[in-house]
Amino acid sequence: MVGPVVQRELVTSGGAAEAVAAPAASPAPLSPSTIADKLHHILIVGGGAGGLVLATRLGHTLGRKKKARITLIDVNLTHIWKPLLHEIAVGTLDSHKDDVIYLGHAKGHSFRFQQGRMDGLDRTHRLVYLAPILDAAGKQVIQRRTMYYDTLVVSVGGICNDFGTPGVQEHCMFLDNHTQADQVQRHLLNACLRAQLQEGRLQEGQLGVAIVGAGATGVELAAELHKATRRLVAYGLDRIDPERDVKISLIEAAPRVLPALPERLSTATTRELQRLGVQILAGEQVVEVNEAEIRTKSGLSIPAELKVWSAGVKTHDFLRDLDGLETNRLGQLVVDDTLKVTRDDNIFAMGDCASCQLAGMERPLLPRAQVAYQEAQSLAKSLTRRLQGEPPVKFVHKDYGSLISLSYSSVGNLMGNLLGTVMIEGTMARLAYLSLYKKHQLAVHGFLWVTLASLISLLRLRTEPRLKLH
């Protein structure tokens, strides 16, 4: 192959300059970083249940073989499986023992990680805008920047929807990420320590807990709180009588708990919560929250020291005006049956931030971890095919049922081709619930890591407190 030629000026004896062709010098060998920059760049924004699985899978199939450059962006430096947040919030799970450090995980699985929070998009130039990263004191750590993509996957998840209710932002805590869950845990522990060491009797509502929203998160948090407060007393907080002092209220605007799940599952969950002494206030719409209490439309007043808002899910505000992409009334990006957005062939979306309504379904898929996991598996195939010039595969959702952890027990319904829908409770349901997390870990870490980590967890049970006490 003949190399390129370059033009250079040659000064003749007569002083006139003429252009002549000269062979170019042999190009210097490309460095690994230069080669990577020339690869097709797949940018994944959001390292949740779907985003981290997708980045890991593509890292193995494309990044490791130098077929594409994979970059994962998340505002946090660590990942925790979101269905575990209720356990972190009460201290029965230490997030720092089960989280995934993005930078280390990326190095071991052949993709790159960048900390950042997406807040804009330029589709014409294929640029994602990332907001500045600030520390706890408000000082800028990472400046505003942009990142180029060839293929973009938006997987930023969802956050709690306060519906504009007065006082919620000022007086309620949330469970959208593990930082907020840690804050709930510290608030609960401090309230119990204060009650143990104060002079005089406890005031009404001093250790009251009010949870707004009886979806899966609210229900599981209520049950886990029952177990955690009794363990706290066992560690020497003997002035607290959990049965008398710790009143847990679960407030839901719908007529029953778990309104999005089958009624049979809701009935079993209600029965178990009542056995634990949780006050269920169904059909009650919250209209105001202040420092001392929560007020409902019917006139109820629920005093509480700890107020947690877990009602409703919405997307991040920046998605509503993302350079002309189609969104629904909840702000979710509308995608087709391949998970591609409707107005750009280079952008895909999945998880809670995507509205995916498949053929034959009356409504879009619910924001659930199992949906995000399945979408990640499907997108891994589609993006590999995209590099080969082939069309993406159509996403096929399989509903494996719903499982709810109720601390000491679990309830759920499993769905399969052989037995149809089967209602399970007790130990079997608890084991099935735990297997969901193991499945997520297998997708992220592999069999050997999960086996060793499980053995280490068993050893910790014998040497460490069952409750986080710091």
Side-chain angles (χ1 to χ4, degrees):
M1 179 177 177
V2 179
V5 295
V6 296
Q7 297 292 325
R8 70 176 183 182
E9 283 191 345
L10 176 65
V11 180
T12 64
S13 57
E18 61 180 359
V20 298
S26 299
L30 293 174
S31 67
S33 61
T34 305
I35 294 174
D37 290 341
K38 292 180 178 296
L39 295 175
H40 186 99
H41 188 202
I42 300 175
L43 186 61
I44 304 167
V45 183
L52 182 59
V53 169
L54 178 61
T56 303
R57 180 85 175 270
L58 293 179
H60 292 170
T61 58
L62 300 178
R64 190 167 290 172
K65 298 176 182 179
K66 306 299 182 186
K67 293 182 178 180
R69 180 160 57 101
I70 317 299
T71 302
L72 176 66
I73 294 174
D74 197 275
V75 68
N76 300 300
L77 291 173
T78 59
H79 160 90
I80 191 72
W81 197 49
K82 198 169 182 178
L84 294 178
L85 289 178
H86 70 282
E87 296 185 34
I88 298 172
V90 300
T92 50
L93 176 68
D94 187 342
S95 65
H96 302 294
K97 294 177 181 176
D98 277 61
D99 58 8
V100 179
I101 302 172
Y102 285 124
L103 284 168
H105 188 78
K107 182 179 184 298
H109 296 272
S110 304
F111 67 91
R112 296 179 179 181
F113 171 75
Q114 292 281 335
Q115 186 182 18
R117 178 175 59 82
M118 181 179 180
D119 66 354
L121 176 69
D122 180 349
R123 292 196 288 135
T124 301
H125 300 95
R126 298 188 189 177
L127 294 175
V128 167
Y129 294 103
L130 301 179
I133 297 295
L134 309 178
D135 62 16
K139 184 177 180 180
Q140 181 172 290
V141 178
I142 304 174
Q143 64 184 5
R144 172 175 288 279
R145 62 203 192 281
T146 59
M147 292 197 68
Y148 175 83
Y149 65 88
D150 294 297
T151 299
L152 174 64
V153 179
V154 183
S155 180
V156 294
I159 56 177
C160 285
N161 189 353
D162 64 10
F163 305 103
T165 307
V168 173
Q169 292 293 329
E170 295 83 1
H171 303 294
C172 286
M173 308 189 81
F174 300 87
L175 286 180
D176 291 324
N177 54 60
H178 69 265
T179 300
Q180 293 177 342
D182 282 335
Q183 292 172 348
V184 173
Q185 186 268 334
R186 287 194 298 269
H187 189 104
L188 175 65
L189 180 59
N190 289 340
C192 290
L193 291 173
R194 183 165 56 249
Q196 171 70 16
L197 299 174
Q198 74 181 31
E199 296 181 0
R201 294 176 58 84
L202 273 65
Q203 303 298 315
E204 182 183 3
Q206 183 173 338
L207 290 181
V209 180
I211 303 166
V212 182
T217 300
V219 164
E220 291 177 333
L221 178 62
E224 201 71 17
L225 274 166
H226 180 275
K227 177 171 70 175
T229 51
R230 280 142 185 83
R231 283 185 176 176
L232 269 174
V233 171
Y235 285 115
L237 304 186
D238 51 5
R239 287 193 61 193
I240 300 173
D241 181 351
E243 301 295 337
R244 181 194 66 210
D245 300 324
V246 182
K247 296 180 180 179
I248 304 171
S249 300
L250 188 58
I251 309 167
E252 170 59 48
R256 60 182 176 89
V257 303
L258 302 176
L261 299 182
E263 188 170 354
R264 189 179 176 190
L265 183 57
S266 173
T267 300
T269 301
T270 300
R271 183 173 61 248
E272 181 64 17
L273 289 173
Q274 289 174 338
R275 188 186 69 80
L276 296 177
V278 176
Q279 181 186 28
I280 299 175
L281 302 172
E284 294 288 348
Q285 181 182 350
V286 175
V287 295
E288 183 186 357
V289 180
N290 58 46
E291 187 175 358
E293 62 189 2
I294 291 177
R295 296 178 180 175
T296 69
K297 190 174 182 179
S298 69
L300 283 180
S301 175
I302 303 100
E305 165 67 22
L306 178 61
K307 297 170 280 290
V308 180
W309 189 275
S310 65
V313 178
K314 70 172 185 176
T315 58
H316 299 270
D317 291 339
F318 76 89
L319 290 177
R320 292 185 178 274
D321 186 23
L322 197 59
D323 200 13
L325 294 182
E326 182 184 2
T327 57
N328 64 7
R329 63 181 182 82
L330 297 177
Q332 295 171 303
L333 295 173
V334 179
V335 299
D336 62 17
D337 58 3
T338 68
L339 304 178
K340 180 175 65 66
V341 301
T342 56
R343 297 174 182 172
D344 197 310
D345 291 340
N346 300 310
I347 302 176
F348 297 78
M350 66 176 178
D352 295 1
C353 70
S355 175
C356 181
Q357 185 168 349
L358 302 177
M361 291 187 172
E362 296 180 356
R363 60 181 181 178
L365 294 169
L366 293 174
R368 301 165 68 187
Q370 67 166 283
V371 173
Y373 173 82
Q374 291 180 38
E375 289 176 337
Q377 299 291 347
S378 180
L379 265 183
K381 298 175 184 177
S382 290
L383 298 186
T384 300
R385 291 169 59 88
R386 177 176 167 84
L387 292 183
Q388 299 167 351
E390 300 176 4
V393 299
K394 291 187 176 182
F395 174 58
V396 178
H397 173 246
K398 296 180 180 180
D399 190 347
Y400 294 107
S402 303
L403 291 163
I404 303 296
S405 171
L406 297 176
S407 186
Y408 307 98
S409 180
S410 294
V411 298
N413 64 315
L414 300 181
M415 301 177 68
N417 296 328
L418 295 178
L419 299 177
T421 302
V422 178
M423 185 75 180
I424 59 174
E425 296 185 49
T427 302
M428 183 179 293
R430 183 63 178 167
L431 292 174
Y433 184 88
L434 293 174
S435 71
L436 295 178
Y437 184 39
K438 293 303 177 186
K439 186 177 182 180
H440 173 71
Q441 289 182 313
L442 283 170
V444 173
H445 299 294
F447 178 78
L448 180 60
W449 186 98
V450 172
T451 301
L452 294 175
S454 299
L455 292 174
I456 292 172
S457 295
L458 290 175
L459 293 174
R460 284 175 176 169
L461 289 176
R462 294 182 174 273
T463 59
E464 297 180 356
R466 296 291 185 91
L467 196 68
K468 185 180 178 184
L469 301 171
H470 61 282

